[in-house]
Amino acid sequence: MDLLRNAPFVCVLLPLIAGIFCAVLPRRGAKLLCFLTVLVLTAANAFSFLRFFSGAGPFTYPMGHFPGPWGNELRSGLLESAMAMCLCVTAFLSLWAGSSKAGVHIPRGKQGLYYSVVCLAAASVNALIYTNDLFTGYVFIEISTIAAGALILSRQDGLCLSGCARYLVMNLVGSGLCLMGIAMLYGQTGHLNIDSLRLSLAPLAESSPLPVSVRTVIVLLTVGLGIKSGLFPFHSWIPDAYSYSTPASGALLSSFISKGYIFLLIKVVVRVFGLDMIRASGVCPVIFAFGAAGIIMGSVSATRQTDIRRMVAFSSVAQIGYIYMGIGMCTRESLIAALFHMAVHSFAKSMLFSSAASLIASSGDRAQMESLAGSGRRNAPAGVAFTAGAMSLTGVPLLGGFLSKIYLSQAAIAVDTFHAVAVLLTLALSTFLQTVYFLHTVVNIYRPADKNVHAEKQSVLSGAALCVMTLLNILLGTASVPLYRALASGFMQF
Amino acid sequence: MASIFRGHLYEAAAMILFAVGLTTLLLHRNMIKKIIGMNIMDTSVYLFLASMGYIRGRSAPILEDGAISAENYVNPIPAGLVLTGIVVSVSVTALLLALTVRLYKRYHTLDIDQIVLLARKGDG
C-alpha cells in the first residue's frame, strides 16, 4: 500500500497527539515539538501534493474499517493538498517569525499550553480541508474556534480579553447557524457524507424554483461560514481579535484559521450542492455584493486607522472581500481565482502581521503611525517584508496580489458585462484606497528616524523568517503558474 | 399556519428556541445571558435532531431478544450527533465561562459594551 495515502490522516491525527505532549512538556520542548509538528505537516502535505501533481487521482480515505456513507471519511486530491501545503507553510513561518515575541507576551508557565493550542489549530484546519463529512466539519469548526479563542487570550491584556469575547460571540453565532444548516440538511437527505449528499441532492438540481428547504440550508451555511471568516457586515470582531494578541496569533488567525472556514465553504458550494444549484438558490448576488462592499468598506476603514496592526487587520476585511467576490460570481474560473487569492492573502498577510510586529518592537513597542517613523531603517528585514507585503496586496506586478487581481478580473469578464464592470470598478477603487494607506505607511516607516527611540534588539530568527516570507511572496508572484494550474486542475477533480 | 405545526411540533419548537437563543447570544449585553443564549441555541438543534431520529412505536437501538431487523429500532445516528454536539457545546461553554470570569475580575462588570469601552480606554 502506498504510504503517502495516509498523509491526510497523519495531518489530522499527528498534531492532535503532539498537542497533548506540548501541554505537559517544558517550555522549550513544547516549542520544538510544535515547530517540528507543523514542519512535518508541511512536508506531508507537500509530498501528497507532489504525488497528485505527478498525475495521481483524488481518493477517499476511510477513517476506520467502514467505507462510504457509514464510516467517516477524508478526501484528498490536488486542490486539498495544495491548499493545505500553502496554509501549513504560512503557519510555520508565522510561528517562526513570532516565536521571539511569543516568548515575551505569554507568561512563562503557559507557553507549553500555547504551543499545544497551535497544534490543535493545525489539526482543525487540516481536518476542515480534508474532511469528507459535514458533521466532522462542524466539530472541527468548533475546535478551531476554541483554539482561536485561546490563541487570542494567550496575551494577558485587557484588549485581548475583550477582543476574544467579541470574537467568540460572533463565531459562536456563525457555528450555531452552520450546525442548524447541517442538521436540516441531514433531515432532508439522511446523509452527512459529502459524496452521498451530492447524490441525493442531484435530482433537485432540475427542479425550478429550488425548494425553500434547500435554499434555507444554503443560506444558513453561507452566512454561518461567512460570519466565521469575517465577511463584510459581520466583520466587526476582526480588528480587535487580530490586532492586540501576540503577533504569531494574529498571523495564524488571519492567514491560517480563517482560510479553513473559507475552504469548507467552497467545499460545500462545489461538492455538496454544485455550482448550478448555488446559482439557482439566489445567494450568489448577495455574496458578491457583500464581498464588494467588504473590499470598499474594509479599505476605507483601513485608511482611517492610526494603529498599524488595526490597519493590517482592516485590510484583511478587504482581502476576505476579494475571496467572497470570487465565490459570489460562482463560476469555475472565479472560484479558482478565489482559491488562488486565499493562498496569496495568507502568504502576504502573515508576513504583514509579523513584520508590523517587528517594526513595532523596533519603535519602543508603540504601534501608532507617528512613532513608527524610521522603523524600516532600524529594522531592515521587517521594513522590506512590510513593503513587499503591502505591494503584493496593493497589486504591484511581480507579486502575488497582482496575479490574483488579474485572475479575478478575467473571471469577471467571462461572466457578463455587469459583473465585469462591478469587479473592475471595485478593483480600481480598492487599489486606489490600498495605495493610499499602504503608501502612507511605507513612506512613514522610511522617514528619517528619530535617534532617541528605544529600539528592541532585533531577533535574528524572526529577521530570517521575514526574509524567507519575502522570498516566498516574490516567488508566488513570479513563478506561481504551476500552483495556479494545480489549483485549477485540482478544482476540476474536486 | 396551524397546519405547519401539526405533526411538526418538535421541529417548530426547535426553530423558535433557535431564534430565541440566537437573538440572546447576538443582542444581549450580559455575558452570562449570552452564554445561556448559546446553550439554548445549541440545545434547540439537539431537539431538532433528536425529533428527526425518533420513530413512533420503535425502541432504542439496543439488541434485545434477538430482534436484528432495523424495523424495530429508532434511528441511532441523530443521537450520536447530539452526543457529539453536547460535548462540543460543553467545551465552548467552559471556555466562555472562563473568559467571563477573567473579564469580571478585571472590569467588575459583565456588560460586554462597557467592557469593550473600558478596554479601549486603555487600562490594558
Side-chain angles (χ1 to χ4, degrees):
Chain A
M1 169 145 175
D2 191 352
L3 262 180
L4 273 178
R5 281 175 78 94
N6 295 312
F9 175 66
V10 170
C11 289
V12 178
L13 195 68
L14 181 75
L16 286 177
I17 297 172
I20 298 171
F21 284 105
C22 282
V24 290
L25 278 175
R27 194 168 56 94
R28 284 183 185 283
K31 186 173 163 182
L32 193 67
L33 181 60
C34 176
F35 273 62
L36 213 61
T37 310
V38 180
L39 207 58
V40 170
L41 292 190
T42 313
N45 283 318
F47 279 124
S48 58
F49 172 71
L50 287 177
R51 183 173 169 274
F52 291 118
F53 198 64
S54 58
F59 62 88
T60 51
Y61 182 91
M63 294 280 282
H65 294 292
F66 298 102
W70 298 283
N72 203 334
E73 281 184 343
L74 298 176
R75 181 191 187 276
S76 183
L78 192 52
L79 185 62
E80 285 98 335
S81 56
M83 193 47 76
M85 180 183 70
C86 291
L87 294 186
C88 285
V89 170
T90 59
F92 179 73
L93 289 173
S94 319
L95 275 176
W96 183 12
S99 65
S100 57
K101 268 284 155 196
V104 182
H105 287 153
I106 304 163
R108 271 183 109 74
K110 301 274 170 66
Q111 288 183 14
L113 290 174
Y114 181 76
Y115 289 110
S116 155
V117 166
V118 171
C119 287
L120 197 62
S124 61
V125 170
N126 274 295
L128 286 176
I129 290 175
Y130 283 120
T131 184
N132 199 28
D133 182 286
L134 271 191
F135 201 77
T136 311
Y138 164 71
V139 172
F140 279 101
I141 285 176
E142 290 285 32
I143 292 177
S144 57
T145 307
I146 293 173
L151 283 181
I152 302 171
L153 274 181
S154 58
R155 193 174 178 185
Q156 317 265 333
D157 179 284
L159 284 166
C160 292
L161 278 175
S162 73
C164 180
R166 295 185 70 193
Y167 175 85
L168 281 179
V169 168
M170 281 314 280
N171 270 268
L172 290 173
V173 170
S175 35
L177 292 173
C178 282
L179 177 61
M180 195 41 140
I182 292 169
M184 284 175 137
L185 199 58
Y186 177 73
Q188 288 160 35
T189 60
H191 288 294
L192 290 165
N193 184 294
I194 290 181
D195 294 319
S196 317
L197 275 171
R198 183 63 188 270
L199 280 180
S200 57
L201 284 169
L204 289 177
E206 275 91 55
S207 68
S208 154
L210 206 63
V212 180
S213 50
V214 179
R215 277 178 202 234
T216 318
V217 172
I218 294 176
V219 170
L220 283 174
L221 287 173
T222 321
V223 174
L225 290 168
I227 292 178
K228 293 186 74 79
S229 48
L231 179 57
F232 159 62
F234 320 111
H235 68 288
S236 56
W237 53 268
I238 282 194
D240 285 357
Y242 289 3
S243 309
Y244 302 123
S245 192
T246 180
S249 298
L252 280 176
L253 282 167
S254 66
S255 62
F256 188 56
I257 296 180
S258 74
K259 298 294 180 294
Y261 303 134
I262 302 179
F263 194 86
L264 187 69
L265 178 65
I266 292 179
K267 187 180 277 199
V268 166
V269 163
V270 179
R271 293 199 53 221
V272 177
F273 295 103
L275 293 181
D276 293 330
M277 206 182 278
I278 296 289
R279 246 176 262 138
S281 73
V283 292
C284 292
V286 183
I287 305 178
F288 182 78
F290 281 176
I295 296 173
I296 305 296
M297 297 311 289
S299 303
V300 169
S301 306
T303 54
R304 287 170 26 204
Q305 301 305 317
T306 52
D307 183 325
I308 187 170
R309 295 169 300 182
R310 285 183 74 84
M311 188 200 82
V312 175
F314 269 112
S315 127
S316 266
V317 177
Q319 302 298 326
I320 297 287
Y322 283 115
I323 299 170
Y324 274 94
M325 202 159 75
I327 300 175
M329 283 188 276
C330 219
T331 62
R332 280 185 192 155
E333 290 75 23
S334 73
L335 276 162
I336 295 167
L339 284 163
F340 185 75
H341 192 65
M342 275 167 72
V344 167
H345 176 233
S346 73
F347 275 105
K349 194 43 62 83
S350 56
M351 182 163 78
L352 278 175
F353 269 112
S354 312
S355 56
S358 298
L359 291 177
I360 292 167
S362 54
S363 312
D365 256 339
R366 281 190 307 241
Q368 301 303 314
M369 286 294 177
E370 59 267 29
S371 45
L372 286 174
S375 54
R377 294 165 185 245
R378 287 192 291 272
N379 188 343
V384 171
F386 190 89
T387 312
M391 279 160 71
S392 169
L393 290 185
T394 315
V396 175
L398 294 184
L399 285 156
F402 174 71
L403 285 177
S404 65
K405 281 183 180 176
I406 293 261
Y407 294 140
L408 208 59
S409 332
Q410 280 174 344
I413 290 166
V415 180
D416 58 19
T417 325
F418 167 73
H419 282 93
V421 172
V423 167
L424 289 177
L425 277 180
T426 319
L427 282 184
L429 189 55
S430 72
T431 307
F432 171 70
L433 288 168
Q434 281 157 1
T435 315
V436 169
Y437 63 78
F438 275 134
L439 198 62
H440 174 72
T441 319
V442 169
V443 168
N444 190 32
I445 62 174
Y446 281 113
R447 268 208 319 233
D450 180 5
K451 289 281 185 291
N452 303 323
V453 179
H454 164 70
E456 212 168 277
K457 202 171 148 284
Q458 292 166 29
S459 133
V460 182
L461 267 178
S462 75
L466 288 171
C467 292
V468 175
M469 282 173 164
T470 314
L471 277 179
L472 277 177
N473 268 283
I474 294 171
L475 212 61
L476 202 61
T478 49
S480 64
V481 177
L483 179 68
Y484 179 76
R485 290 223 180 103
L487 287 177
S489 61
F491 186 82
M492 294 306 170
Q493 304 161 2
F494 199 38
Chain B
M1 188 67 197
S3 63
I4 301 175
F5 292 98
R6 202 170 303 138
H8 299 284
L9 204 58
Y10 292 112
E11 283 87 346
M15 287 304 149
I16 292 168
L17 281 175
F18 186 80
V20 170
L22 188 76
T23 328
T24 317
L25 173 59
L26 202 56
L27 301 180
H28 228 291
R29 284 160 51 171
N30 186 313
M31 279 303 284
I32 297 287
K33 289 185 181 168
K34 272 187 191 294
I35 298 172
I36 295 174
M38 187 207 82
N39 275 289
I40 295 176
M41 182 176 81
D42 281 354
T43 314
S44 78
V45 183
Y46 308 148
L47 174 64
F48 185 75
L49 279 168
S51 69
M52 268 182 325
Y54 182 69
I55 305 165
R56 191 176 284 273
R58 299 195 189 172
S59 64
I62 301 166
L63 211 58
E64 271 179 358
D65 313 327
I68 305 173
S69 164
E71 300 295 309
N72 299 315
Y73 303 120
V74 299
N75 183 359
I77 293 174
L81 300 184
V82 170
L83 273 178
T84 318
I86 288 173
V87 173
V88 168
S89 75
V90 163
S91 29
V92 175
T93 309
L95 180 67
L96 269 178
L97 284 172
L99 175 64
T100 310
V101 169
R102 265 214 211 170
L103 282 171
Y104 189 78
K105 275 188 182 154
R106 188 182 271 265
Y107 296 110
H108 307 290
T109 173
L110 289 170
D111 185 326
I112 182 80
D113 292 353
Q114 271 191 28
I115 290 170
V116 171
L117 278 181
L118 286 171
R120 291 249 169 92
K121 248 186 234 161
D123 83 324

